Amino acid sequence: MEAEELRVGFVGAGRMAGGLGQGLLRAGKVPASNIVVSAPSDRNLAEWREWGCRTTHCNLEVLQESTVVFLATKPHVLPTVLQELRPAVTSQHLLISLAAGVSLQKLQRLLPTGTKVLRLMPNLPCVLQVGAAVFSRGSGVGDGDAALLQSLLSPCGLCEEVPESYINIHTGLSGSGVAYVYLFAEAMAEGAVKMGMPGSLASRIAAQTLLGAAKMLLETGEHPAKLRGDVCTPGGTTIHGLYQLEKGALRATVMNAVQAATERASEMGED
């Protein structure tokens, strides 16, 4: 389907929906005039109007004017929203839930039989087309529908179809993981400030260091341990720094953070 023909809707206009919407617009996948967004108040809609998208306070209007609809509400609100939308859902709609923890089984139970529904978990860097997203499809979704979603999202960064059991893990690893990286960048910069470097310069260098390390991981295909070892020399600066990180249990702490966020994602679907 051509971008000019595709009509995309967002039910919910929060940060994740905004990041995804901006990614689609920057990639030229959908014209702004073909995007309609709903939210209970104008608080999050003003930004969408600045981008040229249409906005409304009526969720049903989004469904009536779109074929691809992203469900971007809070997990505890989603069942009520689906109850409202259910009478208007048709076989032409492709519904994509961004709600953390809400399973395909639950989504399919709340929607008409045979509804085409998927779960999607992106992360915030999708706004700059360097995101990481994974999705899983419900029983009513065919290969063409999955390909359409992947085509829409691929310009936003990495986009992979995965078993549903991986979705909450991706939330803990990448959806929340962006914040872990920001914390690490902040700590690196503050270490440099402690040693006498100006804060703004330290922050730029820390960010560039993370960007360069990530590109090397992706482009070389090497295991992180191999690349880490390549930086170390016997008795050098790096091994002394790494020793302090190991003393502070950085590795176990990060693993525990991923586990905690994954488990919270699962809990949110049960709340």
Side-chain angles (χ1 to χ4, degrees), residues 109-178:
R109 187 172 71 246
L110 293 169
L111 289 163
T113 302
T115 298
K116 295 184 290 187
V117 61
L118 305 96
R119 282 185 69 189
L120 169 70
M121 183 50 60
N123 68 358
L124 200 54
C126 283
V127 66
L128 297 179
Q129 297 170 250
V130 287
V134 297
F135 70 91
S136 299
R137 62 172 99 173
S139 57
V141 177
D143 291 344
D145 300 314
L148 173 61
L149 178 60
Q150 198 149 25
S151 172
L152 271 177
L153 297 183
S154 56
C156 297
L158 177 72
C159 181
E160 300 275 355
E161 182 173 4
V162 299
E164 187 182 11
S165 61
Y166 293 1
I167 295 279
N168 289 343
I169 301 172
H170 176 79
T171 303
L173 168 66
S174 186
S176 301
V178 173

Side-chain angles (χ1 to χ4, degrees), residues 28-43:
K29 279 293 181 180
V30 186
S33 59
N34 283 19
I35 296 178
V36 59
V37 189
S38 66
S41 71
D42 278 332
R43 185 167 57 91

Side-chain angles (χ1 to χ4, degrees), residues 18-110:
L20 201 55
Q22 269 192 284
L24 294 177
L25 290 169
R26 289 188 179 199
K29 279 293 181 180
V30 186
S33 59
N34 283 19
I35 296 178
V36 59
V37 189
S38 66
S41 71
D42 278 332
R43 185 167 57 91
N44 291 331
L45 293 177
E47 191 173 42
W48 291 83
R49 285 194 288 268
E50 290 174 7
W51 302 337
C53 302
R54 292 174 295 136
T55 63
T56 178
H57 298 307
C58 177
N59 294 332
L60 279 172
E61 187 178 336
V62 173
L63 209 66
Q64 291 160 357
E65 297 192 16
S66 311
T67 49
V68 176
V69 179
F70 291 91
L71 304 169
T73 69
K74 299 290 186 185
H76 70 278
V77 174
L78 187 58
T80 303
V81 170
L82 292 181
Q83 186 174 13
E84 174 193 3
L85 296 178
R86 182 185 170 99
V89 174
T90 73
S91 60
Q92 303 303 310
H93 287 112
L94 184 64
L95 304 184
I96 302 149
S97 171
L98 279 67
V102 182
S103 69
L104 285 169
Q105 182 180 29
K106 185 171 185 178
L107 291 167
Q108 290 173 153
R109 187 172 71 246
L110 293 169

Side-chain angles (χ1 to χ4, degrees), residues 208-231:
Q208 185 64 33
T209 301
L210 294 174
L211 175 64
K215 283 182 70 68
M216 286 196 72
L217 277 170
L218 290 170
E219 294 181 10
T220 66
E222 296 280 8
H223 192 279
K226 165 68 165 58
L227 294 174
R228 174 172 52 81
D230 290 345
V231 184

